[in-house]
Amino acid sequence: MRTIPSLIALATAVALSSAAPAAGAQHAADTTRDAPGVADTAQLHPVVVTATRVALPQPASVATTAVLTGAELRSRGITTLQDALRTVPGAFAPRAGSFGAQTSLFLRGGQSDYAQVLVDGVPVNDPGGFIDLANLTTDDVARIEIVRGPASVLYGANAVTGVVQIFTRTGNGPLHGTLSADGGSYGGRDLSGSVAAGGQRAGFAVSAAHHATNGIYAFNSQARDNVASATGRFAPDARTTVRASVRYIDAGAHIPTDFTGAVVDSNQLHTERRWIGSVQGTRRIGDRLEARLVLGATNGATRSADGADSPDDACDFCFDSRAGTYRRTLDARLSYGVTPALVVSGGAAVEGQRQHTWGSPAMRRDVRAWYAEAVGTVRDAVSYSVGARLDDNSAFGTFGTWRAAAAWRLGGSRDAGTSVRASVGTAFKEPTFDQVSSTSPFARGNPALRPEHATTWEAGVDQRFAGGALTVAATYFHQRFRDVIQYDPAPAAADAPNYYNLVAANANGVELEARIAPSRAWGITAGYTHLDTRVLDAGVDAGASATYVQGDRLLRRPSEQGTVALSLRPLSRVALHADVAYVGDRLDIDYRNFVRVEAPSYTTAGLAAELAVLAPALTSGGGAGSSGDSSASWRAPSLTLTVRIDNIFDARYAPIYGFRAPGRTAMVGARVGW
């Protein structure tokens, strides 16, 4: 353990938001009135509904979680999900070069398609695949919940090493809105606006944003990301709630780099258009039974193209690839409160998946699933959850998963004392459409593929001091990945498939977290992760540029990561935030020479500040993370000046070997609210 890890022996669960009101609720309470600073750190016991899908307060958490509030992220100038996850232990989201380039998520050392990403309960990963984080922004986000560990028992395929769920805002309080504009380095410009209102019976929120940049390279490096979203809720009576949301993304990036990272291409581009929508209905039937129905849909259309760079270009590697992905989901669930300390749930889910690649026939499959879960407490000291799930996929048949977790508060109160926790469970990832059904001459699919699967156990301890002003936690996790699908470029027969279940690997590690929040005026959070990955079966890989090498580490997984963040409010109208992030060495491939290399470690630092010029004190009228109720002082127009500097010391580094990251980046702007 080298460099800054000694600085980061502690860390935090950035957790903090109001609890969802009813058992089984999937959307958390939100606020549409932003305030900078560290107000969120005052809330010590958030109910993370993504972890169990039941909002039952527990004396000790049974899962390893983190919660990022939208107000906190906006006060720090964070506009992308990639940057938001930087402070989460175990999460590594490298980008292949400039802004808008492909960004993958490696959670706890798993594959890039082992983390399920949801928006208001709707999965946005490609079926069996990963989600490009480059175009997911924090616009109109109420909170982001991150659950680390296997979650297939609740969310099906892809939830192998964890789940990231984005909850959007629905509107509370009198009619109000915000307008913001920022500009700065690399021709960056961000524009956004929102309006919202709501009462006890109904509420709405509408927002739109435009993000653009000229990029870090001299040519063909522009990127844009346009986002529009709307949510509404309606409660016709005290027992019924209906919530609907829709989000539209229209993004594109010019890519001047080839597969080695060399800046050689004048017209390569990638575009994405995506709709994400959901309708959620909850009905309480009597005092103990609750019914919940969730309908979800996501449509994604992507295009990657590269034409001739000049009239004389032979265009040996030109392409124009277009694909559409469609997912339709229905989830019905009943939750029964057996006692005030025990909720038993059962449900069924149906999903239709379809993918169409330009020039090829459409591919389709259907998924049905049944699941059950019990979540409870014993004597206000022990928390537990037990669940099981059976998925029936039209492509590969049935697959079962399970999970059991428990936590025990050894003594003291929830604000001061020690608790221990442990969990064990299984998870799976379904094959992608191409892996099963492709008819390309270079990648023939294998209909006989099995799902990739994992078995994970973890154990941890949490300690609170001084009424929760200081919190420390340590977690050890052990993961076994089996039947990992591998591409075989030279199968035994000419008409044989190219994909097989061949690879096995382990990923084990330790996560340390701490938070110091003695008051609403300042707080420090820190996190450190040590990760050890090992290939146990390399399948058919061999050679200097192999993806898997027997006994070696998995590619692009940092051996160590650490963050330290300080939030400070020296004056009522001033908020400051500073953070330092360290990423350790990791194996990668230098595609210029087709050899495996060790990518060097790097450290970056950022600084953000807000100054309320025309506004009441930032601490008045409820703040970031409040329930949405506001005092009259928040109804007055306000003007806040903002500044954000990333990579403040202009470090030269490449998260993916050969693809350099941006240098020092500064954005200055203003936000008007009313």
Side-chain angles (χ1 to χ4, degrees), residues 86-160:
R86 187 171 61 173
T87 60
V88 176
F92 180 54
R95 183 174 58 213
S98 186
F99 308 102
Q102 180 174 297
T103 307
S104 303
L105 173 61
F106 299 95
L107 193 59
R108 280 190 168 179
Q111 305 280 66
S112 61
D113 48 14
Y114 277 10
Q116 180 75 283
V117 178
L118 307 136
V119 176
D120 289 328
V122 179
V124 293
N125 296 56
D126 290 338
F130 83 117
I131 177 68
D132 185 354
L133 299 188
N135 303 323
L136 287 178
T137 69
T138 60
D139 299 298
D140 205 39
V141 168
R143 61 191 255 148
I144 302 171
E145 295 184 352
I146 303 98
V147 177
R148 307 193 293 278
S152 286
V153 71
L154 295 178
Y155 299 101
N158 288 84
V160 178

Side-chain angles (χ1 to χ4, degrees), residues 278-656:
S278 69
V279 177
Q280 307 178 28
T282 303
R283 173 71 177 177
R284 294 196 66 82
I285 306 169
D287 295 332
R288 295 190 177 188
L289 184 64
E290 181 181 86
R292 183 171 184 81
L293 180 67
V294 180
L295 301 173
T298 178
N299 288 5
T302 60
R303 181 191 180 201
S304 296
D306 187 10
D309 291 304
S310 68
D312 298 329
D313 188 350
C315 211
D316 294 333
F317 298 101
C318 293
F319 58 87
D320 190 343
S321 175
R322 309 185 191 195
T325 303
Y326 311 87
R327 301 183 75 165
R328 301 291 183 269
T329 59
L330 182 152
D331 191 299
R333 178 186 182 94
L334 288 174
S335 298
Y336 181 71
V338 180
T339 70
L342 173 61
V343 176
V344 176
S345 303
V350 179
E351 179 175 358
Q353 305 174 352
R354 186 161 63 92
Q355 178 176 297
H356 176 69
T357 302
W358 194 30
S360 301
M363 298 173 282
R364 180 184 177 90
R365 63 190 179 201
D366 300 301
V367 182
R368 295 175 295 174
W370 301 265
Y371 58 89
E373 180 190 33
V375 178
T377 64
V378 179
R379 297 182 181 275
D380 199 31
V382 176
S383 309
Y384 65 89
S385 69
V386 180
R389 180 185 179 104
L390 181 67
D391 283 79
D392 183 8
N393 189 301
S394 60
F396 60 77
T398 59
F399 198 88
T401 53
W402 56 271
R403 184 182 67 178
W408 181 19
R409 195 180 70 217
L410 299 178
S413 66
R414 297 183 69 196
D415 293 333
T418 304
S419 61
V420 295
R421 51 190 159 79
S423 66
V424 60
T426 61
F428 77 102
K429 188 200 81 70
E430 61 187 340
T432 66
F433 276 110
D434 288 337
Q435 290 169 340
V436 173
S437 307
S438 175
T439 57
S440 163
F442 304 105
R444 185 179 297 273
N446 184 356
L449 285 176
R450 302 181 302 278
E452 302 179 20
H453 62 93
T455 302
T456 300
W457 68 267
E458 67 177 73
V461 58
D462 303 273
Q463 178 70 55
R464 295 179 183 272
F465 302 94
L470 171 61
T471 303
V472 295
T475 305
Y476 174 79
F477 58 89
H478 180 90
Q479 304 168 120
R480 299 173 61 242
F481 307 135
R482 298 296 183 268
D483 288 333
V484 178
I485 297 171
Q486 184 180 33
Y487 175 79
D488 183 358
D495 58 348
N498 293 99
Y499 296 100
Y500 298 91
N501 296 97
L502 296 174
V503 174
N506 284 358
N508 313 318
V510 175
E511 296 166 346
L512 304 177
E513 306 174 71
R515 178 186 63 206
I516 304 172
S519 72
R520 296 171 63 90
W522 69 278
I524 298 175
T525 64
Y528 171 76
T529 304
H530 176 76
L531 180 67
D532 179 25
T533 63
R534 199 68 52 193
V535 176
L536 303 181
D537 189 338
V540 296
D541 257 355
S545 62
T547 301
Y548 304 101
V549 171
Q550 198 88 9
D552 214 338
R553 290 184 287 168
L554 292 169
L555 296 179
R556 295 178 182 171
R557 276 66 154 191
S559 57
E560 297 175 289
Q561 287 180 266
T563 60
V564 175
L566 166 67
S567 293
L568 177 65
R569 186 179 296 161
L571 301 171
S572 61
R573 294 173 180 261
V574 177
L576 303 173
H577 182 90
D579 59 78
V580 178
Y582 167 80
V583 175
D585 61 80
R586 58 225 170 273
L587 284 184
D588 210 325
I589 297 177
D590 180 354
Y591 284 104
R592 296 169 300 180
N593 304 306
F594 289 93
V595 295
R596 294 166 71 86
V597 295
E598 184 175 277
S601 62
Y602 59 89
T603 301
T604 58
L607 177 67
E610 290 195 339
L611 171 63
V613 178
L614 299 175
L618 293 175
T619 55
S620 65
S626 71
S627 64
D629 296 329
S630 305
S631 69
S633 62
W634 278 104
R635 299 188 182 105
S638 63
L639 171 63
T640 303
L641 303 181
T642 63
V643 61
R644 170 74 190 181
I645 306 176
D646 288 314
N647 193 8
I648 193 168
F649 298 114
D650 202 26
R652 302 299 180 183
Y653 67 101
I656 296 177

